[in-house]
Amino acid sequence: MTSTVPASLTRSADRSALQAVFLDMDGTLVDTEGFWWDAERAVFAELGHELDEAWRDVVVGGPMTRSAGYLIEATGADITLPELTVLLNDRFEARIDGGVPLMPGAARLLAELAAHRVPTALVSASHRRIIDRVLASLGPQNFALSVAGDEVPRTKPHPDPYLVAARGVGAEPARCAVIEDTATGVASAEAAGCRVVAVPSVAPIAPAAGRVVVRSLEEVDLGFLRTLITPVN
C-alpha cells in the first residue's frame, strides 16, 4: 500500500455518512482493459498460441496470477507463471508509455472528490509497477493511498484489498463507496462490506442488493455516492 498525500487528507471535511470512496483502475478510471487483452494476445502469439476471444470475459478484472494461470492452462503454453507475469507486465508497460486514456467522467469525479476532501483510494489487482505508471496520468494528488494486487495476501475477488484501503484511511467499510467495472472487483468490494457502484466495461453486471449499476462514470458524482450510505445518527 502506498500513501500519496498527508494523513490529514485521509479524513473527510464534512459530516456525511460517506467516509471514503475507493476506485478500481483498469476499465473503471482508465480505458485499459483492452490494453491488457492486447498484451496477452501478443505475448501468447509469440509463444505460438492464439487466444480465444471468449476467454477475455474470464480473465478480465482478475489478478495477474489467476488470469495468466488460466491462459497457460487453456493454451498449454510452455511457460511458467512467473515468466509469463514478467512478459505481460513488460508488454503492458510498453503499451501505456505514451499515457493512458481516462474513462468518460473520471477526471471530473476525481476533481470533485478532491475539492470536497473526500478520502479517496485507488484499489487495483494490477501490480505496483503498473499502478505507479498509471498514477502519472490520473494524478497521484487525487488519492490518499493506493493498493496494488501484489501488496496484499489475497487480491480480488477476496475482500483484502478493500479492507486494507478502509484501514488506511480510517474508515468503516460499510461507510465506503466502491466503484468497479468487473464482477471480480464487485465481489471483492461486497465481501469487504462496502457499497458498490458497478460500471461494467467488458462483461455485464446485474444489479443486486447493496449494488447500483450505471452505464458510465458520467452518471456518478459526490451527491450520488452520498445517497448510497445510510446516515449515521
Side-chain angles (χ1 to χ4, degrees):
M1 179 179 71
T2 295
S3 178
T4 56
V5 299
S8 61
L9 294 189
T10 62
R11 294 182 296 274
S12 178
D14 59 53
R15 296 184 180 181
S16 167
L18 175 69
Q19 291 184 331
V21 175
F22 304 145
L23 302 108
D24 173 56
M25 187 175 75
D26 296 299
T28 298
L29 286 176
V30 290
D31 192 7
T32 49
E33 289 292 10
F35 288 13
W36 279 113
W37 183 242
D38 290 345
E40 289 159 347
R41 287 196 307 175
V43 168
F44 274 90
E46 292 171 358
L47 296 172
H49 298 274
E50 182 177 352
L51 299 187
D52 189 315
E53 191 69 25
W55 298 340
R56 183 175 182 180
D57 287 353
V58 179
V59 301
V60 66
M64 175 73 72
T65 51
R66 190 198 74 184
S67 300
Y70 174 86
L71 293 175
I72 290 174
E73 183 176 351
T75 60
D78 183 19
I79 189 171
T80 67
L81 183 58
E83 290 170 339
L84 179 58
T85 296
V86 171
L87 291 178
L88 291 174
N89 276 324
D90 286 347
R91 185 60 62 101
F92 185 78
E93 280 192 38
R95 183 71 171 82
I96 65 174
D97 269 346
V100 293
L102 271 60
M103 297 297 284
R108 186 264 314 152
L109 178 59
L110 290 175
E112 182 181 15
L113 294 173
H116 288 82
R117 298 172 62 84
V118 177
T120 302
L122 183 66
V123 182
S124 175
S126 292
H127 290 187
R128 170 57 56 189
R129 59 183 286 196
I130 300 298
I131 287 181
D132 286 345
R133 288 287 190 97
V134 176
L135 274 171
S137 296
L138 289 172
Q141 73 280 0
N142 290 316
F143 302 94
L145 59 88
S146 56
V147 180
D150 57 342
E151 295 175 337
V152 290
R154 303 178 304 171
T155 189
K156 302 173 186 180
H158 298 287
D160 305 40
Y162 285 108
L163 293 176
V164 168
R167 286 196 299 268
V169 299
E172 302 169 28
R175 295 178 63 183
C176 298
V178 170
I179 304 177
E180 276 278 1
D181 73 304
T182 67
T184 298
V186 167
S188 174
E190 291 181 343
C194 303
R195 296 299 302 268
V196 178
V197 178
V199 191
S201 61
V202 175
I205 299 173
R211 177 196 315 165
V212 178
V213 181
V214 298
R215 293 170 296 181
S216 164
L217 286 181
E218 293 183 313
E219 299 179 33
V220 180
D221 59 17
L222 180 53
F224 172 78
L225 294 174
R226 284 174 171 160
T227 66
L228 303 179
I229 311 299
T230 303
V232 178
N233 295 327

